[in-house]
mmCIF file of all heavy atoms in Angstrom:
data_model
loop_
_atom_site.group_PDB
_atom_site.id
_atom_site.type_symbol
_atom_site.label_atom_id
_atom_site.label_comp_id
_atom_site.label_asym_id
_atom_site.label_seq_id
_atom_site.Cartn_x
_atom_site.Cartn_y
_atom_site.Cartn_z
ATOM 1 N N LEU A 367 -36.739 -99.257 -47.104
ATOM 2 C CA LEU A 367 -38.119 -99.641 -47.428
ATOM 3 C C LEU A 367 -38.343 -101.110 -47.176
ATOM 4 O O LEU A 367 -37.451 -101.905 -47.052
ATOM 5 C CB LEU A 367 -38.396 -99.371 -48.938
ATOM 6 C CG LEU A 367 -38.055 -97.979 -49.472
ATOM 7 C CD1 LEU A 367 -38.465 -97.949 -50.978
ATOM 8 C CD2 LEU A 367 -38.866 -96.950 -48.711
ATOM 9 N N SER A 368 -39.576 -101.430 -47.093
ATOM 10 C CA SER A 368 -39.874 -102.900 -46.918
ATOM 11 C C SER A 368 -39.691 -103.608 -48.119
ATOM 12 O O SER A 368 -39.552 -102.922 -49.268
ATOM 13 C CB SER A 368 -41.408 -102.971 -46.483
ATOM 14 O OG SER A 368 -42.214 -102.760 -47.624
ATOM 15 N N GLY A 369 -39.603 -104.942 -48.116
ATOM 16 C CA GLY A 369 -39.285 -105.709 -49.335
ATOM 17 C C GLY A 369 -40.384 -105.416 -50.484
ATOM 18 O O GLY A 369 -39.956 -105.297 -51.573
ATOM 19 N N GLY A 370 -41.569 -105.334 -50.100
ATOM 20 C CA GLY A 370 -42.617 -105.134 -51.083
ATOM 21 C C GLY A 370 -42.476 -103.807 -51.768
ATOM 22 O O GLY A 370 -42.592 -103.646 -53.007
ATOM 23 N N ASN A 371 -42.088 -102.794 -50.989
ATOM 24 C CA ASN A 371 -41.919 -101.505 -51.563
ATOM 25 C C ASN A 371 -40.682 -101.360 -52.419
ATOM 26 O O ASN A 371 -40.594 -100.652 -53.363
ATOM 27 C CB ASN A 371 -41.994 -100.411 -50.425
ATOM 28 C CG ASN A 371 -43.348 -100.115 -49.935
ATOM 29 O OD1 ASN A 371 -44.262 -99.929 -50.752
ATOM 30 N ND2 ASN A 371 -43.618 -100.239 -48.692
ATOM 31 N N GLN A 372 -39.682 -102.046 -52.000
ATOM 32 C CA GLN A 372 -38.427 -102.151 -52.768
ATOM 33 C C GLN A 372 -38.735 -102.698 -54.067
ATOM 34 O O GLN A 372 -38.260 -102.273 -55.079
ATOM 35 C CB GLN A 372 -37.378 -103.044 -52.123
ATOM 36 C CG GLN A 372 -36.767 -102.353 -50.860
ATOM 37 C CD GLN A 372 -35.722 -103.251 -50.187
ATOM 38 O OE1 GLN A 372 -35.582 -104.375 -50.505
ATOM 39 N NE2 GLN A 372 -35.179 -102.667 -49.110
ATOM 40 N N GLN A 373 -39.576 -103.795 -54.113
ATOM 41 C CA GLN A 373 -39.830 -104.439 -55.384
ATOM 42 C C GLN A 373 -40.642 -103.465 -56.204
ATOM 43 O O GLN A 373 -40.417 -103.446 -57.437
ATOM 44 C CB GLN A 373 -40.649 -105.716 -55.078
ATOM 45 C CG GLN A 373 -40.561 -106.679 -56.220
ATOM 46 C CD GLN A 373 -39.267 -107.200 -56.523
ATOM 47 O OE1 GLN A 373 -38.268 -106.481 -56.692
ATOM 48 N NE2 GLN A 373 -38.997 -108.553 -56.484
ATOM 49 N N LYS A 374 -41.535 -102.722 -55.599
ATOM 50 C CA LYS A 374 -42.320 -101.724 -56.471
ATOM 51 C C LYS A 374 -41.323 -100.713 -57.050
ATOM 52 O O LYS A 374 -41.600 -100.218 -58.217
ATOM 53 C CB LYS A 374 -43.381 -101.078 -55.592
ATOM 54 C CG LYS A 374 -44.481 -102.085 -55.298
ATOM 55 C CD LYS A 374 -45.708 -101.302 -54.707
ATOM 56 C CE LYS A 374 -46.175 -101.873 -53.462
ATOM 57 N NZ LYS A 374 -47.026 -100.912 -52.737
ATOM 58 N N VAL A 375 -40.304 -100.416 -56.319
ATOM 59 C CA VAL A 375 -39.304 -99.381 -56.929
ATOM 60 C C VAL A 375 -38.656 -100.080 -58.092
ATOM 61 O O VAL A 375 -38.499 -99.397 -59.185
ATOM 62 C CB VAL A 375 -38.305 -98.955 -55.865
ATOM 63 C CG1 VAL A 375 -37.175 -98.125 -56.538
ATOM 64 C CG2 VAL A 375 -38.861 -98.199 -54.690
ATOM 65 N N ALA A 376 -38.316 -101.270 -58.029
ATOM 66 C CA ALA A 376 -37.700 -102.016 -59.149
ATOM 67 C C ALA A 376 -38.615 -102.050 -60.326
ATOM 68 O O ALA A 376 -38.230 -101.836 -61.524
ATOM 69 C CB ALA A 376 -37.311 -103.419 -58.778
ATOM 70 N N LEU A 377 -39.955 -102.311 -60.036
ATOM 71 C CA LEU A 377 -40.889 -102.256 -61.111
ATOM 72 C C LEU A 377 -41.077 -100.911 -61.738
ATOM 73 O O LEU A 377 -41.202 -100.727 -62.973
ATOM 74 C CB LEU A 377 -42.282 -102.808 -60.675
ATOM 75 C CG LEU A 377 -42.330 -104.311 -60.441
ATOM 76 C CD1 LEU A 377 -43.456 -104.735 -59.585
ATOM 77 C CD2 LEU A 377 -42.287 -105.073 -61.785
ATOM 78 N N ALA A 378 -41.144 -99.839 -60.882
ATOM 79 C CA ALA A 378 -41.263 -98.524 -61.286
ATOM 80 C C ALA A 378 -40.207 -98.130 -62.331
ATOM 81 O O ALA A 378 -40.407 -97.297 -63.198
ATOM 82 C CB ALA A 378 -41.338 -97.578 -60.171
ATOM 83 N N ARG A 379 -39.019 -98.637 -62.107
ATOM 84 C CA ARG A 379 -37.893 -98.373 -62.961
ATOM 85 C C ARG A 379 -38.237 -98.854 -64.418
ATOM 86 O O ARG A 379 -37.887 -98.129 -65.308
ATOM 87 C CB ARG A 379 -36.622 -99.148 -62.501
ATOM 88 C CG ARG A 379 -35.462 -98.889 -63.377
ATOM 89 C CD ARG A 379 -34.434 -99.816 -63.009
ATOM 90 N NE ARG A 379 -33.808 -99.574 -61.727
ATOM 91 C CZ ARG A 379 -32.955 -100.360 -61.059
ATOM 92 N NH1 ARG A 379 -32.694 -101.609 -61.526
ATOM 93 N NH2 ARG A 379 -32.524 -100.133 -59.886
ATOM 94 N N LEU A 380 -38.881 -99.957 -64.557
ATOM 95 C CA LEU A 380 -39.258 -100.455 -65.846
ATOM 96 C C LEU A 380 -40.266 -99.532 -66.477
ATOM 97 O O LEU A 380 -40.193 -99.255 -67.647
ATOM 98 C CB LEU A 380 -39.736 -101.875 -65.757
ATOM 99 C CG LEU A 380 -39.006 -102.987 -65.095
ATOM 100 C CD1 LEU A 380 -39.433 -104.376 -65.385
ATOM 101 C CD2 LEU A 380 -37.499 -102.915 -65.475
ATOM 102 N N LEU A 381 -41.175 -99.210 -65.601
ATOM 103 C CA LEU A 381 -42.279 -98.323 -66.187
ATOM 104 C C LEU A 381 -41.644 -96.985 -66.582
ATOM 105 O O LEU A 381 -42.140 -96.415 -67.607
ATOM 106 C CB LEU A 381 -43.396 -98.089 -65.090
ATOM 107 C CG LEU A 381 -44.015 -99.416 -64.597
ATOM 108 C CD1 LEU A 381 -45.180 -99.065 -63.616
ATOM 109 C CD2 LEU A 381 -44.514 -100.307 -65.672
#
Side-chain angles (χ1 to χ4, degrees):
Chain A
L367 304 186
S368 71
N371 285 309
Q372 288 177 355
Q373 200 64 307
K374 287 193 231 164
V375 171
L377 284 164
R379 178 194 291 165
L380 306 194
L381 303 184

